[in-house]
Amino acid sequence: AIVRFFAGYQFCAKRANKSVKVITQYANDPTFNDQAKCKATALSQIARGSRVVFQVAGGCGLGALDAAKQKKVWAIGVDADQGFFGPHVLTSATKHVETSVYDAIIAFQKNPAAWKTGFNVNYTAKNGGVGYGKLSKALPKKVAAQYNASSAALLKLMASGKVKPPSQ
């Protein structure tokens, strides 16, 4: 999943700015909980010129969000909307787990006797399984409106299959 996050981020960053350089770095935290490791990793990236830190590291990633706040650069959260950490969080790449839960409940209600477990369903832009969080209130309103419009348009293109981000 992390490789797909990185690939999608790089794809979209290059769509937004062809000359952008994306630094990909792992904190090497097998527990995904060591915030100090992710903070040190993010601080290293910021020292190398990163102006946006996108963390995809669970609890460890909270350290990366803190590094971005400390160094006054943008952060992008993951999994859920992490904008509540502060205005330095530009947005978040979100997984809409509530969509899968809702779908499972509806399927069960339709036919409890036929309800099965033990299978996987991929949730994508097409079925409402992924998206992005609110944009930071620190953005000028005009910029936020442009970002929202371009992001919504790209999400729609991905949902239709007209744009397919790489998986690696």
Side-chain angles (χ1 to χ4, degrees):
I2 292 171
V3 172
R4 289 190 298 273
F5 269 120
F6 285 155
Y9 177 77
Q10 184 160 351
F11 173 80
C12 290
K14 293 277 185 188
R15 274 183 74 99
N17 179 349
K18 290 186 187 336
S19 65
V20 74
K21 180 182 176 196
V22 176
I23 301 170
T24 302
Q25 191 173 359
Y26 291 89
N28 295 318
D29 172 22
T31 67
F32 284 84
N33 278 319
D34 190 338
Q35 292 182 28
K37 280 187 175 183
C38 279
K39 183 171 185 175
T41 301
L43 288 170
S44 167
Q45 291 177 334
I46 294 165
R48 291 166 46 204
S50 289
R51 295 187 338 229
V52 178
V53 173
F54 175 42
Q55 66 90 6
V56 289
C60 179
L62 299 178
L65 295 179
D66 189 47
K69 182 177 184 177
Q70 177 185 325
K71 293 297 183 177
K72 297 180 177 29
V73 300
W74 289 114
I76 298 176
V78 72
D79 295 337
D81 189 346
Q82 294 184 313
F84 61 88
F85 282 109
H88 68 289
V89 178
L90 178 62
T91 190
S92 300
T94 58
K95 295 178 189 173
H96 292 287
V97 177
E98 73 279 3
T99 302
S100 62
V101 171
Y102 178 81
D103 290 351
I105 291 168
I106 294 301
F108 177 79
Q109 285 179 332
K110 283 182 180 176
N111 191 353
W115 174 248
K116 293 183 219 170
T117 63
F119 62 92
N120 292 320
V121 176
N122 288 323
Y123 281 82
T124 65
K126 186 174 186 173
N127 60 12
V130 297
Y132 58 95
K134 290 182 231 104
L135 292 173
S136 172
K137 293 183 188 276
L139 284 171
K141 289 192 185 314
K142 186 175 181 180
V143 172
Q146 290 169 337
Y147 284 1
N148 270 325
S150 63
S151 297
L154 182 56
L155 193 60
K156 188 174 179 179
L157 288 170
M158 287 190 284
S160 73
K162 291 179 181 173
V163 171
K164 185 171 169 114
S167 60
Q168 297 185 17

